[in-house]
Amino acid sequence: VEEAWQTLKQILMSTADKHIPKKSFKSNGQKPRKPLWMNSGVMAKLKQKRAAFKRYLETREGRDYQEFAKSRNQAKWEVRKAKREFEKKVALQAKTNPKAFYAYANSKLKTRAGVSDLLKPDGTTTETNQEKAEVLNDFFTSVFTQEDTSRIPDFKQREGVGILDNLQVTEKMVADQFNELKTSKSAGPDGLYVRLLREAKDELVKPFTMLFNKSISKGKLPEDWKQGQITPIFKKGNRASAGNYRPVSLTSIACKMLEGIIRNALLNHMENAFTDCQHGFIGGRSCTTQLLDTVEAW
């Protein structure tokens, strides 16, 4: 399984390096990043305004000042129009594209707050990023739930529900997972971007199907699929307390696809075993539907 994954990953990475164009960005801070609402129309009006102002400084004539004032007002109106249209677009797409909303909201912030210095168990404060990572790692590990697998309850088998002892992944299952991928998501620790997998889905369906079946039959996962990049997200309260941060894990996209296939198979297998009281982990049901049923019963 590990060899098959590494071979497939190497082919994808080398093909991406060879055929996907690259663009360099200057990060020396000389050029400020333009606002998200900026478009070609606004840039043209601003260019006209700067040219008119430069001309007025050279001549100091009233006619040139009037031209500058006219260009200034047009640029101001164009900026307001661009902001209004951009904010309206962001608001309409807030549910389908939440990243655009948060990117625009963060662009309005004056400061960028990361993880502040944290309190260590001995009462001292962290001084380096390495110490911050160790404090957060110790806290996240301490609150992680580890189930006692030696005392699993013995459930009686229900009628009409057999044992799912074999799962054969088909190309249609894999194709459905490829179609559900969102290209706005970030790549996992393996470095494979969602956009790459989505664009090459027609060629990747068969090898991924073979890989998933091999993984299930052998009961093994590639090492890349077990890795995760943990990012601490501040919730509220004291920033110096590790308990006020929640972890967000970024894992392999391929592993998420296999998880989705197994989840769908489990739900289909357990369909006859669920009752109407089951609202969690079922499509179309949630805490809201459970609450509505409860209120209706009351």
Side-chain angles (χ1 to χ4, degrees):
V1 175
E2 180 69 29
E3 183 180 359
W5 166 247
Q6 291 298 334
T7 301
L8 179 58
K9 175 184 172 183
Q10 183 61 33
I11 293 174
L12 284 170
M13 298 293 284
S14 60
T15 306
D17 292 337
K18 182 178 180 180
H19 296 286
I20 297 180
K22 296 179 178 62
K23 183 178 181 181
S24 300
F25 292 90
K26 293 183 180 179
S27 58
N28 52 11
Q30 294 180 357
K31 261 191 172 183
R33 181 179 295 181
K34 65 179 182 179
L36 297 175
W37 47 261
M38 183 73 71
N39 55 38
S40 58
V42 175
M43 295 179 67
K45 292 296 182 181
L46 292 176
K47 187 176 180 181
Q48 291 178 6
K49 185 190 78 168
R50 286 193 291 266
F53 184 68
K54 184 177 180 181
R55 188 164 51 249
Y56 164 70
L57 292 178
E58 295 174 352
T59 62
R60 295 291 180 176
E61 294 183 0
R63 181 180 60 186
D64 291 333
Y65 179 78
Q66 292 179 355
E67 289 294 330
F68 161 69
K70 181 180 179 181
S71 300
R72 179 192 59 195
N73 293 336
Q74 290 179 353
K76 186 185 299 184
W77 297 334
E78 197 69 26
V79 167
R80 290 177 179 175
K81 178 182 176 182
K83 284 184 177 180
R84 185 168 59 250
E85 292 180 351
F86 180 79
E87 290 176 352
K88 183 178 180 180
K89 179 181 177 181
V90 169
L92 292 174
Q93 298 178 353
K95 286 189 175 181
T96 57
N97 188 13
K99 284 194 172 183
F101 169 77
Y102 286 108
Y104 184 62
N106 291 330
S107 68
K108 295 293 184 180
L109 299 178
K110 301 296 182 182
T111 58
R112 295 290 183 267
V115 179
S116 62
D117 293 335
L118 302 173
L119 291 175
K120 295 191 288 187
D122 57 3
T124 59
T125 306
T126 57
E127 298 179 355
T128 63
N129 291 334
Q130 179 67 27
E131 292 182 344
K132 293 180 185 179
E134 292 175 354
V135 170
L136 290 169
N137 181 68
D138 292 340
F139 173 74
F140 294 154
T141 304
S142 65
V143 299
F144 184 79
T145 303
Q146 292 184 349
E147 301 291 348
D148 184 7
T149 57
S150 62
R151 301 177 59 187
I152 297 178
D154 184 19
F155 292 100
K156 296 181 179 180
Q157 187 172 349
R158 297 184 181 181
E159 296 182 1
V161 180
I163 299 177
L164 183 62
D165 55 358
N166 183 27
L167 173 59
Q168 187 68 26
V169 180
T170 63
E171 293 187 5
K172 184 181 183 304
M173 295 179 181
V174 179
D176 291 340
Q177 292 296 317
F178 272 112
N179 292 329
E180 293 178 2
L181 292 178
K182 297 181 180 179
T183 55
S184 60
K185 299 297 183 180
S186 301
D190 52 18
L192 292 179
Y193 287 91
V194 186
R195 180 68 181 273
L196 172 64
L197 299 177
R198 183 68 183 268
E199 294 291 340
K201 62 180 181 179
D202 294 336
E203 288 75 20
L204 293 177
V205 166
K206 186 172 182 177
F208 267 77
T209 303
M210 297 168 62
L211 177 62
F212 290 160
N213 282 319
K214 186 181 291 290
S215 175
I216 293 175
S217 62
K218 298 294 184 180
K220 300 291 184 180
L221 290 177
E223 288 299 321
D224 287 345
W225 296 7
K226 303 177 184 179
Q227 305 298 322
Q229 295 175 347
I230 310 298
T231 302
I233 305 297
F234 177 71
K235 297 183 294 184
K236 61 180 180 179
N238 185 10
R239 287 185 174 271
S241 174
N244 291 330
Y245 293 83
R246 67 179 180 90
V248 175
S249 180
L250 191 64
T251 55
S252 173
I253 303 298
C255 186
K256 291 180 181 179
M257 293 173 59
L258 180 57
E259 290 174 358
I261 292 174
I262 295 176
R263 175 189 177 277
N264 293 337
L266 287 173
L267 287 179
N268 293 333
H269 179 74
M270 295 291 295
E271 185 176 5
N272 296 329
F274 290 139
T275 68
D276 290 337
C277 298
Q278 177 76 26
H279 288 262
F281 310 102
I282 295 182
R285 293 195 173 193
S286 63
C287 297
T288 304
T289 58
Q290 189 272 340
L291 181 60
L292 289 173
D293 283 354
T294 303
V295 172
E296 177 67 18
W298 290 345

